């Protein structure tokens, strides 16, 4: 409940809540997924928690990694003694991405909201195929580096030269083990706020340049 109340003053949580509300109403993303005193005071909440644990606490959907300065045989003995008793219930994980949170009709929207901080920010947000398991290629990290670059000929250097922006950050995340996302956050000047279409156009021009160049080693 304390963490929930702290989040009320955090624009990042407000933005995520907005994304949830923009998703398909029957998707698992479109629901309250934090916790507060009201949600934790529901009748039968403890029994629900125990039932959840009983159903899903299964060794076949767990991974254990340990690191230590002891001999491997000693660590293996500890792991076996501590964790061998975890039951394998042959759990099959459900498809958390069904129904699809962002079908095509839910995309391509422009939404405005009043932030907590006195700051003008525009966020371009893309829904992408699920790439969390592409740990060697790291596609989101690749794009984060390119969009987030602040040196010569970067997107930010152009926006600054035009007097449109002060800061830029880019990154990505994964949700529900079913889709990934990528965002570009741009802190606008007053001129940038008045000419936000020019900022959006610059981002997409840069994206097209990246696409034309193709992946670079």
């Amino acid at each position: 409940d304390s963490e929930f109340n702290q989040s009320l003053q955090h624009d990042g949580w407000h933005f995520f809540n907005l994304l949830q509300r923009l998703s398909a109403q029957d998707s698992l993303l479109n629901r309250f997924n934090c916790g507060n005193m009201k949600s934790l005071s529901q009748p039968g909440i403890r029994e629900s928690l125990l039932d959840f644990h009983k159903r899903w606490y299964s060794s076949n959907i767990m991974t254990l990694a340990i690191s230590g300065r002891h001999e491997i045989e000693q660590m293996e003995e500890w792991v076996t003694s501590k964790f061998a008793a975890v039951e394998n219930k042959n759990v099959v994980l459900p498809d958390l991405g069904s129904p699809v949170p962002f079908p095509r009709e839910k995309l391509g929207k422009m939404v405005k909201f009043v932030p907590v901080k006195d700051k003008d920010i525009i966020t371009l947000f893309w829904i992408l195929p699920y790439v969390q398991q592409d740990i060697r290629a790291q596609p989101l990290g690749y794009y984060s580096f390119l969009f987030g670059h602040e040196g010569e000929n970067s997107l930010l250097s152009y926006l600054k030269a035009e007097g449109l922006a002060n800061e830029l950050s880019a990154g990505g995340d994964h949700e529900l083990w079913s889709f990934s996302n990528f965002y570009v956050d741009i802190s606008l000047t007053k001129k940038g706020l008045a000419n936000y279409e020019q900022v959006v156009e610059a981002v997409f021009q840069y994206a097209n340049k990246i696409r034309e160049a193709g992946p670079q080693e």
Side-chain angles (χ1 to χ4, degrees), residues 76-88:
E76 182 179 11
E77 180 183 328
W78 286 336
V79 167
T80 302
S81 64
K82 298 292 185 182
F83 296 98
V86 178
E87 184 181 354
N88 179 7

Side-chain angles (χ1 to χ4, degrees), residues 130-179:
Y130 185 56
V131 295
Q132 186 170 11
Q133 294 178 322
D134 295 345
I135 57 174
R136 295 190 182 278
Q138 294 287 345
L140 297 187
Y142 179 82
Y143 287 121
S144 298
F145 177 83
L146 291 173
F147 278 94
H149 180 54
E150 299 182 358
E152 187 179 1
N153 294 324
S154 66
L155 174 59
L156 179 60
S157 67
Y158 166 78
L159 294 173
K160 278 187 172 181
E162 294 293 313
L164 300 170
N166 296 315
E167 300 172 343
L168 184 151
S169 62
D173 203 356
H174 318 279
E175 298 290 344
L176 300 175
W177 296 339
S178 62
F179 72 92

Side-chain angles (χ1 to χ4, degrees), residues 202-214:
V203 173
F204 276 92
Q205 285 180 336
Y206 185 69
N208 283 329
K209 285 289 185 182
I210 294 174
R211 181 166 61 181
E212 291 168 6

